[in-house]
Every structure is written in C-alpha cells, then in structure tokens.
Amino acid sequence: MRRAAVWLGLLGLGLGSAQAELLGTHPQRNGPVQLMSELCLEPGAGAGQQARQTVGGRERHGCWGVDRAGHPVVTWRDGSELVLAPAAEALALAAEPDFARPGWCPQASFPHERLVCSDAELAGRDLRLAALWRPFRRTLDPQAQAWHKSDYFRRLRACGADKSCITGEQETQMSRYREARRDGG
C-alpha cells in the first residue's frame, strides 16, 4: 500500500511538470536560465513562476518574476537572486551574440515571429509580455483566452517584418494587461 502511494505521488509530480511550458531561455556564463510558465508553489517562494538552470551537471531551481524595470529576476532556493539583464544589455555583455528568446522561436514561421526571434529588443519584450499574460489569462474563460491570443496574433501578423509596428502592438498588449491588473482583473 505504501509503495502505491509513493508511486502515485511520483506520477503526480511527473504529470504536473508536463504542464509547464518553456517561456524562454536567458544565456548566462555558467549555463542558460530557463524561464518556465508554471507557478512556484514552494512555501515562502512568494509570487512567481518556476526557473531552472543546470550548473556543473546539477539542476538549480528557483522562482522568477519581473521587477519594476521589467527585468526578469530569479530567486534561487538558496536565497540568492539573479537579475537577468535586458536582452540588449545581455548582448553587450555576452562574449557571443546571444540573447533570451521566447520558447516558441524554434517553430517561428511568420515574418513577425522570425523578427521577434532574431531581435534582442523584441524578444525581451515578448518575454515580459508572457509574464503579464499569465495572471491576465486566469481571469478569462477558455473562449476569451483563445480570442485574445488570436486577436493579438492577427495584429502582429499584419505587421509583417516591420519592427516599429511589432513594438507598438507589444506595447499596446502590455498596457491592456497592466490596465486589467489595476482594475482588479
């Protein structure tokens, strides 16, 4: 009986981790930091989403959120914090020209998607937008979530590879999410 309980517990942990989506990867000198969509549920973790990094063959876990400047900040389980530089700063600091990209970039096929994935500024904005989307979508039913995503994608697709158009749409969407948060949504 005890073995069955342990097995079900492990199975539940495995199923729970399958729900997490990779929002993006942020390059760091000792290994990339993966920013996940799954909420942190650890006691004392506060609000945030899960983050992980493999350093020296060992996986490190923590929770991430966005500071007032819009930078992702990871608080690791040991209590240490890591502020992830904006994509543009990361580019300037990195020895190789790499930057944080959304997790969907390997499937990018439309011109606006390819531009977001190849431009550090647009990719950074997309990661900040994803962090704002998560709490906003919890206020919507599945049909409304689908409509919001479809409407935003339609507007971005109309931009093509026009960076200023994409930037404007990203800013409009972030403003909508922030406004909904202020209004209690």
Side-chain angles (χ1 to χ4, degrees), residues 55-112:
V55 178
R58 297 185 70 195
E59 196 164 275
R60 183 178 185 194
H61 295 270
C63 298
W64 73 278
V66 178
D67 67 11
R68 290 179 191 235
H71 305 145
V73 178
V74 178
T75 303
W76 299 109
R77 284 186 181 164
D78 66 4
S80 63
E81 283 193 356
L82 174 64
V83 177
L84 301 175
E89 289 177 32
L91 250 180
L93 296 174
E96 59 187 89
D98 201 5
F99 53 90
R101 289 179 175 81
W104 51 261
C105 280
Q107 291 82 36
S109 59
F110 292 97
H112 74 278

Side-chain angles (χ1 to χ4, degrees), residues 1-12:
M1 186 68 153
R2 183 166 149 75
R3 278 191 216 167
V6 170
W7 175 251
L8 288 174
L10 290 173
L11 182 61

Side-chain angles (χ1 to χ4, degrees), residues 6-143:
V6 170
W7 175 251
L8 288 174
L10 290 173
L11 182 61
L13 289 174
L15 292 175
S17 65
Q19 296 173 358
E21 297 175 37
L22 177 65
L23 293 176
T25 302
H26 202 287
Q28 294 294 300
R29 293 190 195 285
N30 55 347
V33 174
Q34 295 177 327
L35 304 177
M36 308 302 290
S37 64
E38 183 134 10
L39 293 177
C40 284
L41 301 176
E42 297 176 25
Q49 293 163 250
Q50 293 182 15
R52 65 179 173 233
Q53 178 183 39
T54 303
V55 178
R58 297 185 70 195
E59 196 164 275
R60 183 178 185 194
H61 295 270
C63 298
W64 73 278
V66 178
D67 67 11
R68 290 179 191 235
H71 305 145
V73 178
V74 178
T75 303
W76 299 109
R77 284 186 181 164
D78 66 4
S80 63
E81 283 193 356
L82 174 64
V83 177
L84 301 175
E89 289 177 32
L91 250 180
L93 296 174
E96 59 187 89
D98 201 5
F99 53 90
R101 289 179 175 81
W104 51 261
C105 280
Q107 291 82 36
S109 59
F110 292 97
H112 74 278
E113 293 174 324
R114 288 192 300 271
L115 183 58
V116 167
C117 294
S118 65
D119 183 277
E121 180 184 350
L122 294 175
R125 268 200 186 89
D126 191 87
L127 290 172
R128 289 192 301 276
L129 189 61
L132 293 169
W133 164 248
R134 179 111 178 144
F136 176 76
R137 78 177 183 185
R138 281 190 239 119
T139 66
L140 306 172
D141 62 56
Q143 186 176 10

